[in-house]
Amino acid sequence: MALDLDFKHDHIRTLIVGHEDNHIETLSKHLNDAGFCKSNVLVAKTYEDALACAVKEKIHVALIDYDLMPRTGFELMEELERMGNPVPVIMTAEIKDTNIDKGAMSRGAYGYLVKSEIDPELLERTIRYTVIRRKLEDKLVHAALFDELSKLPNRRAFFDRLTQALHRADRRKQEVCLIYIDLNGFKSVNDTYGHQAGDEIIREVGRRLKQCLRRTDTAARIGGDEFACILEDFSDRDAAIHVINKVARTFDKKILFEGHRHDVGVSLGVSVYPE
């Protein structure tokens, strides 16, 4: 099955990172000549400005000069990774250098370009390949970490997020609340009305959980009819209890599928870390 990998030049936001005005002007002109929208080209002349821009702006690709003086492009890439920033990087350098090339690739760069060799065609192709490759990688990651029916993180992703949440709680001296959810009556729906009805229930549970949780929370499907939620950054226990009650109440309403109203309840278990 073909993947949707449509590439639209005027939608791509590019960040140029470098301290030399001539280099920035040349890349900007090449991008314009290659069909990229001028208003979508951002510039950062310092290491700090680049980090701030990467956090604040939605960027599809970053053209990072190796020589940022007094830092290097490697340091910027490493800091972006530590921040969890997903911006794909194309490294640029003054001369062809195998060490820079290998160093950039080992840090996850999608390309390495020598400034004197860059022209609009080469730049366009490199950016296009970078953006499309990232789309492919994102699709593969999503397939590996998300449940197809519920559209929620799967068991593997859940335990990864739980581990991260516990580390954050230790570091910030905060609590994490874990909700375990077991559907009641799901098996009888499957047996009586078939797997299509069961699949629709799983999809609806996923939709309802996402609607009643906050942006900082995680809902996941960890088994056939088993779900779990991770609550973080709540100001006090009452705030967590409010979310727990929302989760419980969201299943009061029956699930409608092909004219039948399915009464699927839940059993909840709640635990608070570090208690």
Side-chain angles (χ1 to χ4, degrees), residues 31 43 52 56 80 89 164 209 242:
L31 288 168
V43 173
K56 182 180 177 182
L80 288 172
V89 170
Q164 294 177 28
L209 287 177
H242 175 71

Short mmCIF file of all heavy atoms in Angstrom, two decimals, residues 31 43 52 56 80 89 164 209 242:
data_model
loop_
_atom_site.label_atom_id
_atom_site.label_comp_id
_atom_site.label_asym_id
_atom_site.label_seq_id
_atom_site.Cartn_x
_atom_site.Cartn_y
_atom_site.Cartn_z
N LEU A 31 17.10 28.51 -1.38
CA LEU A 31 15.78 28.01 -0.98
C LEU A 31 14.68 28.69 -1.78
O LEU A 31 13.73 28.04 -2.25
CB LEU A 31 15.56 28.25 0.52
CG LEU A 31 16.37 27.36 1.47
CD1 LEU A 31 16.28 27.89 2.90
CD2 LEU A 31 15.87 25.92 1.41
N VAL A 43 15.90 32.09 10.69
CA VAL A 43 17.35 32.21 10.84
C VAL A 43 17.71 32.34 12.31
O VAL A 43 17.06 33.08 13.07
CB VAL A 43 17.89 33.44 10.07
CG1 VAL A 43 19.37 33.65 10.36
CG2 VAL A 43 17.66 33.29 8.57
N ALA A 52 16.20 28.20 21.18
CA ALA A 52 14.95 28.89 21.45
C ALA A 52 13.98 28.75 20.29
O ALA A 52 12.77 28.52 20.48
CB ALA A 52 15.20 30.36 21.76
N LYS A 56 10.24 26.97 20.16
CA LYS A 56 9.09 27.83 19.93
C LYS A 56 8.38 27.55 18.61
O LYS A 56 7.15 27.61 18.53
CB LYS A 56 9.55 29.30 19.95
CG LYS A 56 8.44 30.30 19.76
CD LYS A 56 8.99 31.73 19.79
CE LYS A 56 7.89 32.75 19.52
NZ LYS A 56 8.43 34.13 19.51
N LEU A 80 19.71 19.37 21.27
CA LEU A 80 18.36 19.18 20.75
C LEU A 80 17.84 17.78 21.08
O LEU A 80 16.67 17.60 21.42
CB LEU A 80 18.35 19.40 19.23
CG LEU A 80 18.50 20.84 18.76
CD1 LEU A 80 18.68 20.89 17.23
CD2 LEU A 80 17.30 21.69 19.16
N VAL A 89 18.03 17.19 10.99
CA VAL A 89 19.14 18.12 10.74
C VAL A 89 19.90 17.75 9.48
O VAL A 89 20.17 16.58 9.21
CB VAL A 89 20.11 18.13 11.94
CG1 VAL A 89 21.39 18.90 11.62
CG2 VAL A 89 19.43 18.71 13.17
N GLN A 164 9.29 7.11 32.40
CA GLN A 164 9.66 8.52 32.31
C GLN A 164 8.91 9.36 33.34
O GLN A 164 9.48 10.28 33.95
CB GLN A 164 9.37 9.04 30.90
CG GLN A 164 10.23 8.40 29.82
CD GLN A 164 9.85 8.91 28.43
OE1 GLN A 164 9.37 10.01 28.28
NE2 GLN A 164 10.06 8.08 27.43
N LEU A 209 -11.56 8.16 26.47
CA LEU A 209 -10.44 8.40 27.37
C LEU A 209 -9.66 9.64 26.97
O LEU A 209 -9.26 10.45 27.82
CB LEU A 209 -9.52 7.18 27.42
CG LEU A 209 -10.06 5.95 28.17
CD1 LEU A 209 -9.08 4.80 28.08
CD2 LEU A 209 -10.34 6.29 29.63
N HIS A 242 -10.57 14.40 40.56
CA HIS A 242 -11.50 14.96 39.57
C HIS A 242 -11.35 14.24 38.22
O HIS A 242 -12.35 13.88 37.58
CB HIS A 242 -11.24 16.45 39.40
CG HIS A 242 -12.05 17.10 38.32
ND1 HIS A 242 -13.41 17.31 38.42
CD2 HIS A 242 -11.68 17.56 37.08
CE1 HIS A 242 -13.85 17.88 37.32
NE2 HIS A 242 -12.82 18.04 36.49
#
